[in-house]
Amino acid sequence: FRPGIAYVLDTLYLSPTVRSPAANTMRSCRGPSFASRESGIAPLPTSRTSQNTSIAADSGFEPLPVGAEDPTAEELAALVDEFYASRTESLGSMGENDGGVVFQGQGDPLAAVDVVIETVRLVAQRRNGIAFRLNTLGLCDTNDIDLLLSSGVLARGDVDQRRETRIATVSVFLPAANPNKYAELLQPKDGLGFSDACSFIVRLAEAGVNVECTAVARPDIKVGEVKALATSLGATSFRTRSWIG
């Protein structure tokens, strides 16, 4: 695949855009030692199967070249098909050994929500039982939320949808439990901010979407307060990412 549109860690990650609603990212919030000074690309996290990989380039994680166009849905769907066609290990009778596919890259996937939706639709036409995860800041306007909720690509409720290709989880990075610290860490743009991220979580949770929230165990953040906020907004799970200072 061409540089900047996908990479492989424990599973396949798709990067639909470099656009972002914030100046900073989850990666930049994980500490000064998390990013490579020379390349600006974060080393791979040590919490997953990427433990044996020493540099980000080994995963195929590269920035999209300057001037290159964002990938199309057709391009990303073809990558998913190629990824699964090349796998030789057993995924289990019900796909229990399959890590699925993750939307996450340089930018925020919801900045290209139409591409995300169409990618899932195209993959669903070719393969059953692919569970997508959408990693996002949740900073988007109402129209984009409406489009996502009405698209039919989100798994909802407690129905067993393991045979369906859907976005099974939306993971929202929530770096702080108060607006000021949130703004300091992420530096949102275009008038978006803390309240928009909270509203995003509430709307998806109320619609029956499986929402995970994550935060970084930074020395200046009380993770317990972030977890309490996430739970109050309707998140079904919470995960703490390591601080690499």
Side-chain angles (χ1 to χ4, degrees):
F1 50 85
R2 62 187 176 97
I5 69 168
Y7 54 103
V8 178
L9 298 180
D10 51 334
T11 191
L12 177 65
Y13 287 69
L14 302 177
S15 179
T17 185
V18 297
R19 290 173 285 148
S20 176
N24 293 332
T25 65
M26 178 273 292
R27 287 166 50 228
S28 67
C29 289
R30 293 192 65 179
S33 297
F34 191 72
S36 163
R37 183 174 300 176
E38 292 78 15
S39 66
I41 299 174
L44 302 184
T46 58
S47 59
R48 298 193 178 188
T49 55
S50 54
Q51 288 175 329
N52 296 326
T53 309
S54 59
I55 58 174
D58 292 342
S59 70
F61 186 13
E62 301 178 38
L64 191 70
V66 176
E69 294 185 354
D70 282 346
T72 64
E74 290 78 8
E75 190 173 10
L76 295 178
L79 274 178
V80 175
D81 203 35
E82 180 182 347
F83 175 74
Y84 278 94
S86 67
R87 297 188 70 172
T88 57
E89 73 275 24
S90 172
L91 300 180
S93 59
M94 294 295 291
E96 61 271 16
N97 298 326
D98 182 14
V101 178
V102 184
F103 287 108
Q104 176 181 301
Q106 275 184 283
D108 192 301
L110 286 185
V113 64
D114 53 338
V115 173
V116 168
I117 291 170
E118 186 61 18
T119 298
V120 178
R121 285 175 174 164
L122 289 172
V123 173
Q125 293 173 7
R126 305 170 188 175
R127 293 182 177 272
N128 292 327
I130 306 298
F132 283 86
R133 185 172 84 240
L134 172 64
N135 290 358
T136 178
L137 301 178
L139 293 172
C140 56
D141 61 31
T142 301
N143 290 336
D144 286 340
I145 301 175
D146 290 342
L147 180 61
L148 185 63
L149 288 173
S150 64
S151 66
V153 302
L154 291 169
R156 304 194 190 202
D158 298 326
V159 177
D160 185 354
Q161 300 192 51
R162 286 178 292 181
R163 295 190 182 279
E164 299 289 334
T165 291
R166 295 284 189 273
I167 296 176
T169 304
V170 176
S171 182
V172 182
F173 180 54
L174 193 62
N178 68 79
N180 292 335
K181 191 63 177 179
Y182 182 96
E184 174 191 333
L185 292 175
L186 282 184
Q187 298 181 28
K189 300 182 290 188
D190 303 323
L192 297 168
F194 179 77
S195 62
D196 298 288
C198 292
S199 296
F200 177 80
I201 296 168
V202 169
R203 284 205 59 190
L204 265 65
E206 289 180 343
V209 177
N210 179 31
V211 180
E212 172 195 63
C213 286
T214 67
V216 174
R218 297 172 55 96
D220 56 347
I221 292 295
K222 295 180 179 179
V223 174
E225 293 182 357
V226 183
K227 181 178 182 180
L229 172 62
T231 301
S232 71
L233 295 173
T236 53
S237 60
F238 183 84
R239 182 160 50 96
T240 303
R241 299 179 183 272
S242 58
W243 164 256
I244 306 176

